[in-house]
């Protein structure tokens, strides 16, 4: 152990008179010496034990000790604890240099060829060592028959990932040449990790900052869920999430840290690439991001490993017996470190070491060049290897590695500068510098043009790279989807839901939950169902589900639940099936994503049903849903308590009239607004078939409501129409209709009442249609229209909506519990016929009757709108209509709800 000069704590220097001060210093020195001796004789474990005991004792004695979450600004793993590097450092450096070159050259060349096409070079250059050590020594492609480790990679580092795959022979030079050129007739490479675009390569979309950390945490938990439920084997499989230090500012990044520690997710390793910079500038110019993150992660119960200094610094630290080096390391803020990197050796000598003469002396024998090259921890394979080893072997908690790196490492004048994130090209001088610094064996002109380079197949580099991967089970950057031979329930499995409620008033939510309960009992797919709720189980009447399959709790139920004597008690179990996430829609969505892509990642076709308050779905976690779609996620999102007028009493923040607008923007999401339970049954049955038998990469959004009414039996032949998006529910009672009424969700019942009012009071005959999906109808119409546009010489096809309405005459009044824009999606094909009634505007607290009158979607408003329209068409007397408004109680002068 090094002996340091003992400096007395600052408070001793000022608080006491001189003589007393000297006594105190002597006393303190004695204690420290005794402690040093104890460690020297009995080791650091004994030191830690003694301190813990003393701390407890001090607290008992009323000593107010601050909670200390930070350790000194040094590496967590001490030099004496390090193991020697197991690989061939020289060859690995060669490989890394080639990856660096190809990553940089790919972006550089593309931007010369196609100015403005973009790409990033500085993120990967900071990450290279962190990834290479992993690829050569840690990332396993399989564990026996089981899939291997999962990698969540910084999206902006993808050029480096492609470059390595190129060396490994997974990607061709042509693909590299088509980086960010995905729309040519040659295979290209997507800008970032997108399984939608490169389904055989990428697994996890990560480029939207913050989604990768939260998704990785819930992925690790879902892996444990599958293991504890016996659906996959227990393995040593790890989830590695490489994230940016700037990215840690996103609330999603840090929001679920305690779940990971609570669940003891030692299958999870975060590597935070602490290059101290984000896009605009320093992450914490005036502080230290590594220290801030250390305290946060440690406070959240994670195992924290700091990798700050490379081996070059070990010798300096060992020689410094003044304690000044650590003092200087601690007093410098990240902005200082960045300046040191940019300004170089002379500045480092004067500014960093020169502050104290003893410290300046410490580096007197080093040249300026050497000072500028003092290596940081995240660029030192020895340090990184030891951190990874320690992380992989750690038990009982997730690990975060905080690795200090340099953004733009090796990029010459772009290195560590504020603008480095946006650099796309290197100057000729920097290119030449890069080529010689990393010893790239290509001619000057080729370097100038940014040509990729791959050494021959039998070169040491390629042989070594392949050998290392073989050792670790093969290439890891691959996504494969097996085929499943699942026995999917047929429609008759859902018979009780197709038959209606026999007059009993029930809600569609209740019907859906019963259906879920029924599905969970299916011998083939029951075990694959993953019900997910964010603390809304009781809202949706899921108590019986909790009893039936239990809530997943990795440690089982450690307490006796107070309601155990009751039939529907709160049952938690290690093999529980429900993921009760607590109040986190983001976390629930991350679970949904993990479960919905399990068919590819674990080769187990899990079927998630995530049920949530519809207002807090797409609006709240829309970007996570978008990423789930990119990940080719499958499953069912169920928006409960749906509708701006159906959820009574809750008011502005709760009443959802627009989730169907938001759902419509996700290309792989099929959104359905259901009125009756049989509609949900048909959609769920067909959805399971399409996703898990036919292998379609899509998911569903279904709205479920809490209004009780009798659920009718499914009309003959309605199945196809339900799936298509529209079917005639009830023809006009008294002859040929001159008007069409569209209704969705519970507003279908209002349309039915309007049908009756119109017939009985005004002798107007109307058909009533249930529209389950305006969005699906629109998509089909757009598709047909596009075909027509591209094939003008062929016979025009008619969109389904027009086919279905063949012979259905008169204006169409469409009423919905959602915004008017939802039915208006069909306006291009129903020109002049469509009148839309919807719930635009902020919600209010009141009951359904008042809400529907306010938003003008009740039966009376529908009937009035129909008459008004008939007047305009010259089919109804204007004065009679005006009178009808009064009779129906429709206030013609009230404020427009859209603006109220
Ligand atoms: C949600 C979101 N907001 C903004 C961006 C744009 N963006 C891309 S990279 C970046 C900076 C990343 O900094 P950091 O996480 O530190 O990664 P580094 O490149 O420094 O390794 C930003 C703001 C994004 N991709 N996602
Ligand atoms: Mg950064």
């Amino acid at each position: 152990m090094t002996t340091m000069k003992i400096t007395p704590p600052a408070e001793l220097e000022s608080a006491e008179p001189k003589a007393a001060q000297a006594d105190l210093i002597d006393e303190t020195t004695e204690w420290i010496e005794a402690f040093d001796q104890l460690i020297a004789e009995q080791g650091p474990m004994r030191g830690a034990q003694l301190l813990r005991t003393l701390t407890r004792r001090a607290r008992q004695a009323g000593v107010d000790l601050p909670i200390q979450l930070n350790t000194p600004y040094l590496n967590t793993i001490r030099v004496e604890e390090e193991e020697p590097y197991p690989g061939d450092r020289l060859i690995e450096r060669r490989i890394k240099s080639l990856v660096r070159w190809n990553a940089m050259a790919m972006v550089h060349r593309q931007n010369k060829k196609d100015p403005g096409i973009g790409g990033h070079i500085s993120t990967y250059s900071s990450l290279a060592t962190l990834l290479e050590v992993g690829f050569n020594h840690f990332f396993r492609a399989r564990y026996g028959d089981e899939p291997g480790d999962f990698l969540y990679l910084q999206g902006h580092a993808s050029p480096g990932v492609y470059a390595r795959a190129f060396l490994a022979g997974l990607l061709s030079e042509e693909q590299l040449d088509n980086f960010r050129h995905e729309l040519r007739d040659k295979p290209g490479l997507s800008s970032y990790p997108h399984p939608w675009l490169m389904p055989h390569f990428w697994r996890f979309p990560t480029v939207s900052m913050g989604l990768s950390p939260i998704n990785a945490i819930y992925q690790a938990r879902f892996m444990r869920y599958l293991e504890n439920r016996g659906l996959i084997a227990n393995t040593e499989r790890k989830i590695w999430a490489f994230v940016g230090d700037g990215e840690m500012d996103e609330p999603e990044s840090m929001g679920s840290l305690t779940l990971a520690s609570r669940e003891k997710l030692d299958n999870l390793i975060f590597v935070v690439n602490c290059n101290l910079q984000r896009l605009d500038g320093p992450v914490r110019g005036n502080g230290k991001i590594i220290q801030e993150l250390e305290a946060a992660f440690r406070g959240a119960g994670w195992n924290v490993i700091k990798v700050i200094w490379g081996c070059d610094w070990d010798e300096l630290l060992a020689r410094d017996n003044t304690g000044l080096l650590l003092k200087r390391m601690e007093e410098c803020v990240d902005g200082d470190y960045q300046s040191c990197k940019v300004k170089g050796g002379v500045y480092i000598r004067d500014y960093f070491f020169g502050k104290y003469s003893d410290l300046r002396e410490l580096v007197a024998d080093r040249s300026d060049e050497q000072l500028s090259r003092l290596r940081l921890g995240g660029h030192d394979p020895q340090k990184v290897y030891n951190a990874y080893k320690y992380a992989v072997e750690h038990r009982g908690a997730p690990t975060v590695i905080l690795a200090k790196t340099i953004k733009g490492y090796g990029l010459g004048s772009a290195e560590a500068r504020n603008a480095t994130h946006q650099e796309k090209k290197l100057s000729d001088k920097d290119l030449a510098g890069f080529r010689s610094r990393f010893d790239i064996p290509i001619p000057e002109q080729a370097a100038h043009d940014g040509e990729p380079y791959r050494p021959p197949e039998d070169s040491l580099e390629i042989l070594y790279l392949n050998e290392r991967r073989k050792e670790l089970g093969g290439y890891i950057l691959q996504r494969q989807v097996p085929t499943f031979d699942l026995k999917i329930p047929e429609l008759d499995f859902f018979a009780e839901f197709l038959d209606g409620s026999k007059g009993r008033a029930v809600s569609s939510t209740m019907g859906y939950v019963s259906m879920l309960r029924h599905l969970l009992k299916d011998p083939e797919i029951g075990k694959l169902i993953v019900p997910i709720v964010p603390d809304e189980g009781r809202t949706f009447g899921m108590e019986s589900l909790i009893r039936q399959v239990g809530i997943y709790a990795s440690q089982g139920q450690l307490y006796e639940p107070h309601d155990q004597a009751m039939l529907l008690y709160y049952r938690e179990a290690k093999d529980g099936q429900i993921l009760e996430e607590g109040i986190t829609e983001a976390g629930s969505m991350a679970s949904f994503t993990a479960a919905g892509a399990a068919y590819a990642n674990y080769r187990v076709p899990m079927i998630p049903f995530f049920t949530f308050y519809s207002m807090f779905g797409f609006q709240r976690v829309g970007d996570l849903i978008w990423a789930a779609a990119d990940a080719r996620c499958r499953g069912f999102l169920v928006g409960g308590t749906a509708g701006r007028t159906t959820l009574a009493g809750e008011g502005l923040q709760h009443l959802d009239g627009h989730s169907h607008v938001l759902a419509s923007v996700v290309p792989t999401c099929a959104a359905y607004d259901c009125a009756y339970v049989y509609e949900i049954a048909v959609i769920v049955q067909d959805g399971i078939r399409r996703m898990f038998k036919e292998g379609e990469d899509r998911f569903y959004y279904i709205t479920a409501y809490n209004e009780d009414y009798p659920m009718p039996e499914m009309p003959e032949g309605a199945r196809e129409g339900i799936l298509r998006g529209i079917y005639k529910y009830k023809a006009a009672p008294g002859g040929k209709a001159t008007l069409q009424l569209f209704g969705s969700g519970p507003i279908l019942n209002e349309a039915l009442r309007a049908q009756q009012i119109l017939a009985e009071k005004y002798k107007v005959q109307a058909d009533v249609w249930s529209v389950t999906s305006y969005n699906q109808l629109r998509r089909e119409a757009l598709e047909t229209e596009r075909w027509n546009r591209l094939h003008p010489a062929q016979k025009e096809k008619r969109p389904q909506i027009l086919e279905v309405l063949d012979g259905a005459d008169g204006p169409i009044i469409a009423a919905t519990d959602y915004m008017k824009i939802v039915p208006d999606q069909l306006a291009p094909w129903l020109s002049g016929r469509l009148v839309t009634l919807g719930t635009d505007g902020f919600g209010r607290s009141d009951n359904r009757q008042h809400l529907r009158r306010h938003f003008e979607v009740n039966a009376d408003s529908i009937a009035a709108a129909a008459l008004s329209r008939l007047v305009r068409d010259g089919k109804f007397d204007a004065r009679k209509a005006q009178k009808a408004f009064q009779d129906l109680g429709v206030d013609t002068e009230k404020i427009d709800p859209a603006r109220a």
Side-chain angles (χ1 to χ4, degrees):
M1 202 172 64
T2 50
T3 38
M4 273 188 190
K5 203 195 288 173
I6 296 160
T7 30
E11 61 266 28
L12 289 184
E13 287 174 356
S14 50
E16 303 288 334
K18 274 263 177 287
Q21 231 187 72
D23 284 351
L24 286 177
I25 292 174
D26 285 351
E27 190 183 58
T28 308
T29 308
E30 268 176 43
W31 276 82
I32 292 176
E33 281 170 0
F35 187 71
D36 283 352
Q37 198 180 343
L38 177 104
I39 298 181
E41 287 168 8
Q42 299 180 48
M45 298 277 269
R46 172 73 188 114
Q49 190 190 38
L50 180 71
L51 279 183
R52 274 199 301 274
T53 312
L54 274 177
T55 309
R56 208 176 314 125
R57 181 87 194 106
R59 291 220 166 94
Q60 278 167 354
V63 178
D64 184 16
L65 290 177
I67 306 265
Q68 185 52 275
L69 291 171
N70 273 124
T71 59
Y73 198 57
L74 292 172
N75 294 344
T76 305
I77 301 172
R78 289 175 307 131
V79 185
E80 308 86 85
E81 294 167 331
E82 285 177 16
E83 287 198 7
Y85 198 76
D88 183 328
R89 287 277 298 266
L90 263 179
I91 297 188
E92 288 190 21
R93 182 173 187 275
R94 294 280 316 130
I95 296 169
K96 183 165 63 185
S97 297
L98 296 177
V99 179
R100 280 184 186 286
W101 172 262
N102 287 317
M104 184 276 295
M106 178 168 56
V107 179
H108 173 88
R109 190 158 70 148
Q110 209 64 337
N111 280 276
K112 273 181 101 172
K113 191 162 71 185
D114 192 349
I117 201 71
H120 299 82
I121 52 182
S122 60
T123 301
Y124 176 72
S125 61
S126 62
L127 191 64
T129 302
L130 294 169
L131 286 190
E132 280 303 304
V133 172
F135 280 120
N136 284 325
H137 300 283
F138 290 93
F139 306 156
R140 298 196 63 86
R142 60 177 54 89
Y143 290 88
D145 288 341
E146 284 284 311
D149 297 329
F150 293 168
L151 301 183
Y152 288 76
L153 299 163
Q154 278 185 279
H156 297 79
S158 51
V161 180
Y162 291 141
R164 180 166 233 275
F166 167 63
L167 288 188
L170 291 180
L171 298 176
S172 65
E173 184 168 343
E174 187 177 65
Q175 279 171 297
L176 248 58
D177 201 30
N178 281 294
F179 171 60
R180 290 190 171 221
H181 278 182
E182 295 184 271
L183 301 176
R184 318 290 158 115
D185 48 6
K186 313 216 172 63
L189 296 177
S190 62
S191 49
Y192 303 117
H194 295 302
W196 185 259
L197 304 174
M198 294 177 64
H200 304 298
F201 192 85
W202 296 115
R203 286 166 184 265
F204 307 112
T206 53
V207 79
S208 178
M209 306 271 110
L211 303 193
S212 162
I214 190 172
N215 275 325
I217 289 174
Y218 280 86
Q219 182 73 258
R221 206 275 299 259
F222 192 70
M223 187 185 287
R224 292 282 183 253
Y225 168 91
L226 291 176
E227 289 171 0
N228 284 330
R229 290 196 50 219
L231 290 161
I232 58 170
N234 276 29
T235 63
E236 283 296 305
R237 185 190 297 131
K238 302 286 179 206
I239 289 159
W240 296 79
F242 289 82
V243 299
D245 49 357
E247 182 172 13
M248 295 315 288
D249 281 342
E250 289 283 5
E252 289 89 346
S253 301
M254 307 277 286
S256 300
L257 294 187
T258 53
L259 173 94
S261 49
R262 195 161 64 240
E263 293 289 309
K264 302 186 172 42
L265 298 177
D266 49 22
N267 54 349
L268 178 64
I269 299 168
F270 270 23
V271 181
V272 187
N273 176 13
C274 295
N275 55 25
L276 314 187
Q277 291 174 246
R278 43 179 164 71
L279 192 152
D280 284 341
V283 177
R284 293 288 183 274
N286 296 315
K288 282 199 186 59
I289 187 64
I290 291 182
Q291 297 299 85
E292 183 180 322
L293 291 176
E294 174 187 38
F297 275 91
R298 203 181 289 283
W302 285 52
N303 173 40
V304 179
I305 306 175
K306 294 194 291 192
V307 185
I308 304 176
W309 310 106
C311 295
D312 298 346
W313 292 85
D314 290 339
E315 190 258 338
L316 293 178
L317 280 162
R319 267 203 289 131
D320 172 42
N321 55 13
T322 62
L324 286 172
L325 182 52
L326 176 59
K327 182 174 159 62
R328 188 73 187 120
M329 285 169 166
E330 299 213 310
E331 67 193 14
C332 279
V333 291
D334 285 355
D336 291 321
Y337 285 110
Q338 189 191 357
S339 290
C340 282
K341 198 63 227 167
V342 173
K343 294 185 177 174
V346 176
Y347 184 83
I348 294 171
R349 186 183 307 282
D350 288 346
Y351 183 80
F352 184 81
F353 292 101
K355 173 144 188 212
Y356 306 109
S357 53
D358 283 357
L359 200 53
R360 181 186 273 274
E361 204 42 43
L362 191 69
V363 291
D365 60 342
R366 306 286 176 107
S367 69
D368 293 342
E369 172 70 11
Q370 282 173 322
L371 291 188
S372 73
R373 288 274 173 97
L374 282 172
R375 200 183 308 185
L376 293 178
H379 292 290
D380 189 331
Q382 165 76 10
K383 302 293 182 195
V384 173
Y385 172 80
N386 276 280
Y388 285 5
K389 183 166 186 300
Y390 187 35
V392 164
E393 289 170 1
H394 189 76
R395 291 290 170 270
T399 292
V400 61
I401 293 166
L402 304 171
K404 189 165 175 171
T405 60
I406 292 161
K407 192 149 177 168
Y409 186 79
L411 298 182
S413 60
E415 196 172 84
R417 287 186 183 273
N418 280 333
T420 190
H421 189 87
Q422 300 297 73
E423 296 290 345
K424 316 287 171 205
K425 283 183 286 203
L426 292 195
S427 65
D428 288 349
K429 183 165 164 267
D430 285 339
L431 268 176
F434 195 109
R435 171 172 160 263
S436 58
R437 174 165 178 183
F438 294 109
D439 206 9
I440 309 297
I442 58 172
E444 206 178 315
Q445 186 57 42
H448 181 260
D449 295 340
E451 278 189 19
Y453 174 72
R454 184 173 188 271
E457 210 58 42
D458 58 357
S459 63
L460 279 180
E461 291 91 338
I462 299 294
L463 290 175
Y464 185 91
L465 183 151
N466 286 334
E467 183 51 38
R468 289 309 312 149
R469 286 315 313 161
K470 210 166 129 202
E471 182 76 18
L472 292 163
Y475 297 107
I476 191 166
L477 293 165
Q478 279 170 327
R479 178 181 178 277
Q480 283 157 352
V481 180
T483 47
F484 302 102
D485 189 22
L486 271 189
K487 209 171 142 299
I488 298 296
E490 299 293 333
L491 200 54
D492 55 11
F493 174 85
F494 294 88
E496 63 175 290
F497 306 100
L498 306 178
D499 289 349
S501 62
K502 319 276 188 245
R504 203 162 54 94
V506 297
S507 66
S508 59
T509 306
M510 196 192 277
Y512 152 70
V513 172
S514 310
M515 201 179 302
L516 200 54
R517 218 168 46 230
H518 190 58
L519 270 173
L520 283 159
K521 290 184 197 146
D522 181 79
E524 176 92 3
I525 66 159
K527 60 179 182 299
L528 303 176
I529 307 281
V530 186
I532 303 169
V533 271
D535 198 35
E536 293 289 350
R538 287 180 204 278
T539 312
F540 305 126
M542 289 183 166
E543 293 91 331
S544 56
L545 227 65
I546 295 176
R547 175 72 183 87
Q548 183 185 339
V549 293
I551 288 171
Y552 171 71
S554 55
Q555 71 283 52
Q557 193 154 31
L558 301 176
Y559 61 99
E560 190 175 297
H562 78 84
D563 51 0
Q564 197 167 32
M566 291 163 69
L567 182 65
L568 301 180
Y569 77 96
Y570 197 81
R571 186 166 84 84
E572 299 190 76
K574 191 165 179 176
D575 62 352
Q577 198 161 345
I578 299 172
L579 288 174
E580 160 61 90
E581 300 293 9
I583 311 169
T584 165
E585 282 76 15
S588 306
M589 195 55 216
S591 277
F592 178 82
T593 307
Y599 68 92
N601 294 328
Y602 301 94
R603 302 189 301 218
V604 187
M606 303 305 290
I607 310 174
F609 283 80
F610 169 26
T611 315
F612 51 89
Y613 227 112
S614 73
M615 188 66 163
F616 306 126
F618 281 84
Q619 169 160 291
R620 176 102 187 197
V621 292
D623 201 24
L624 279 157
I625 297 177
W626 186 258
D630 184 351
R632 298 174 169 265
C633 186
R634 303 172 186 172
F636 296 92
L637 296 177
V638 179
T641 52
R644 190 99 79 201
T645 70
T646 302
L647 173 61
E650 289 292 323
L652 184 151
Q653 183 70 68
H654 289 69
L655 304 186
D656 165 36
H658 52 278
S659 64
H660 274 288
V661 182
L662 305 177
S664 74
V665 306
V666 183
T668 59
C669 175
Y672 286 93
D673 190 12
C674 297
Y676 300 134
V677 171
Y678 65 78
E679 294 178 350
I680 303 182
V682 164
I683 293 159
V684 167
Q685 190 274 336
D686 191 62
I688 295 178
R689 180 190 66 79
R690 288 181 70 159
M691 294 185 286
F692 297 99
K693 192 154 185 75
E694 308 303 329
E696 284 185 41
D697 291 327
R698 51 162 35 211
F699 64 94
Y700 288 74
Y701 177 54
I702 299 174
T703 33
Y705 295 80
N706 67 357
E707 182 176 357
D708 293 334
Y709 45 83
M711 290 294 159
E713 191 182 346
M714 178 161 89
E716 224 11 69
R719 181 179 171 276
E720 198 195 328
I722 294 171
L723 296 172
R724 177 179 56 211
I726 187 170
Y727 64 99
K728 192 188 282 185
Y729 178 72
K730 193 169 177 194
K736 174 98 175 95
T738 54
L739 181 79
Q740 311 300 322
L741 299 179
F742 285 5
S744 308
I747 301 300
L748 179 61
N749 294 326
E750 300 290 339
L752 288 165
R753 281 193 279 278
Q755 179 188 44
Q756 214 177 344
I757 294 168
L758 287 166
E760 287 172 4
K761 290 196 178 165
Y762 306 104
K763 305 284 174 274
V764 172
Q765 295 299 327
D767 292 336
V768 172
W769 303 74
S770 176
V771 186
T772 51
S773 181
Y774 285 101
N775 193 229
Q776 289 297 96
L777 289 168
R778 177 179 170 81
R779 285 178 181 170
E780 191 282 333
L782 288 174
E783 208 177 306
T784 307
E785 191 178 85
R786 175 174 179 274
W787 189 92
N788 288 339
R789 191 172 71 242
L790 297 173
H791 303 89
Q794 295 185 48
K795 185 170 179 291
E796 201 175 25
K797 293 182 182 176
R798 277 213 303 178
Q800 279 183 353
I801 180 64
L802 295 182
E803 285 285 313
V804 171
L805 290 178
D806 204 19
D809 298 329
I812 298 164
I813 315 296
T816 168
D817 217 1
Y818 279 82
M819 290 175 70
K820 297 184 176 85
I821 191 84
V822 175
D824 282 348
Q825 291 181 84
L826 296 182
W829 301 276
L830 304 176
S831 59
R833 293 183 70 185
L834 188 65
V835 174
T836 305
L837 301 176
T839 58
D840 298 41
F842 284 123
R844 289 289 193 285
S845 310
D846 213 313
N847 65 21
R848 283 179 198 124
Q849 192 191 350
H850 281 83
L851 285 168
R852 286 179 186 165
R853 189 189 305 148
H854 169 76
F855 282 105
E856 301 162 5
V857 294
N858 57 350
D860 296 320
S861 298
I862 297 172
L867 296 178
S868 177
R869 174 59 202 240
L870 290 173
V871 170
R872 299 276 173 214
D873 288 352
K875 302 270 171 59
F876 199 81
D877 180 74
R879 267 175 311 169
K880 271 195 198 161
Q882 205 68 57
K883 168 82 173 44
F885 274 55
Q886 274 174 21
D887 296 345
L888 293 167
V890 172
D891 180 356
T892 55
E893 303 313 311
K894 87 181 213 333
I895 189 164
D896 180 353
R899 291 189 291 112

